[in-house]
Amino acid sequence: MKRTRYHILMAGVAVAMAAVAGACGELADTPDVIKPLEMKLSRSRIFIAEGSSYQLVPVFTPNTVTDLGVFWMSNDAEIARVVNGKVTGVAQGETRIKAISVSALKEDSCLVTVLPKLYTNPNNYPYDMVIYADVSVHGRPADGSMLIGAFCGDELRGIGVQHEWKGIPYTVLRIYSPTARGETITLGCYHVEEALMEMFDDVFVFDGESHGSLSSLYELRID
């Protein structure tokens, strides 16, 4: 008799627990997880200086995706590292940042070019030349959001400084060299906030002379 009562009691407990579990399950129902059909990064290429950072953002399709988790990795953390999409330049060079969605394993990547520190020490070079320029980039005059840089290969040799004369804006670009003549100098416009680099078509051979003047500015254009 005691064994029968015990079995009946345990059966009753099991039924009661099942009923509670069923009720809790109804209360704990959650919406279905919506996985991405596609994931793209906000940029496919960026330029950042050593020590500077830029935030990449994953964009999901559809926009109702509920699982927004992303794994981030750098092909070469000695050039650029990434934490939660924030890319930081470590050393001059080029590498690729990859993002992989936690659900559905969708992936995309961004090519990262790390520029040298945006500074040139004049004391390292015995020679210089200067360009007095009227700069226009897509119809905009050079301003604080742009850095006009001079390069010899991948080496930064000078950064333009904005001035104004009689209400006319102009840029003075002083370029430095270890040799008196002969180096090939290219010019670029670095958009700081957009982490974007555009190059001018103009190419100079370093000669230690001045190019342009306040009364006759050299025209630098990116259309």
Side-chain angles (χ1 to χ4, degrees):
M1 179 66 70
K2 289 182 178 180
R3 184 179 297 274
T4 301
R5 288 178 178 175
Y6 173 78
H7 287 161
I8 293 173
L9 177 62
M10 294 305 294
V13 171
V15 170
M17 291 179 66
V20 172
C24 289
E26 291 176 3
L27 293 174
D29 280 347
T30 57
D32 291 337
V33 173
I34 302 176
K35 297 182 178 181
L37 299 176
E38 185 179 46
M39 183 196 73
K40 292 290 184 182
L41 292 178
S42 52
R43 293 284 296 277
S44 60
R45 185 171 190 183
I46 60 173
F47 295 80
I48 54 177
E50 292 179 21
S52 297
S53 300
Y54 184 84
Q55 182 70 47
L56 290 173
V57 179
V59 180
F60 296 92
T61 302
N63 59 11
T64 53
V65 167
T66 57
D67 190 346
L68 304 178
V70 173
F71 293 117
W72 296 91
M73 63 188 72
S74 171
N75 283 358
D76 191 339
E78 293 185 357
I79 293 177
R81 63 177 182 268
V82 59
V83 178
N84 294 330
K86 184 179 181 180
V87 183
T88 301
V90 177
Q92 186 176 351
E94 193 168 84
T95 189
R96 190 169 286 277
I97 297 296
K98 181 180 287 188
I100 304 174
S101 66
V102 172
S103 63
L105 298 181
K106 302 299 181 182
E107 66 178 68
D108 196 16
S109 65
C110 174
L111 183 62
V112 179
T113 299
V114 179
L115 304 171
K117 290 182 179 179
L118 301 177
Y119 171 75
T120 301
N121 187 349
N123 296 325
N124 292 339
Y125 304 96
Y127 303 98
D128 68 359
M129 63 180 274
V130 64
I131 301 173
Y132 296 91
D134 172 17
V135 179
S136 175
V137 179
H138 305 301
R140 290 172 51 200
D143 58 29
S145 68
M146 307 175 192
L147 288 178
I148 309 302
F151 297 87
C152 181
D154 292 331
E155 186 179 353
L156 183 66
R157 292 292 186 80
I159 295 178
V161 178
Q162 278 76 50
H163 294 277
E164 186 174 298
W165 181 66
K166 294 184 177 181
I168 300 173
Y170 68 97
T171 299
V172 176
L173 182 56
R174 191 167 296 276
I175 305 166
Y176 301 93
S177 175
T179 58
R181 293 180 178 274
E183 286 194 315
T184 299
I185 303 297
T186 57
L187 306 179
C189 176
Y190 179 51
H191 302 267
V192 180
E193 295 180 0
E194 300 172 44
L196 174 67
M197 173 68 81
E198 296 183 282
M199 300 304 294
F200 294 91
D201 292 332
D202 307 73
V203 177
F204 290 83
V205 176
F206 189 91
D207 58 8
E209 305 292 334
S210 294
H211 298 264
S213 64
L214 292 182
S215 59
S216 180
L217 296 171
Y218 185 94
E219 290 191 355
L220 286 175
R221 298 284 183 269
I222 294 179
D223 295 323

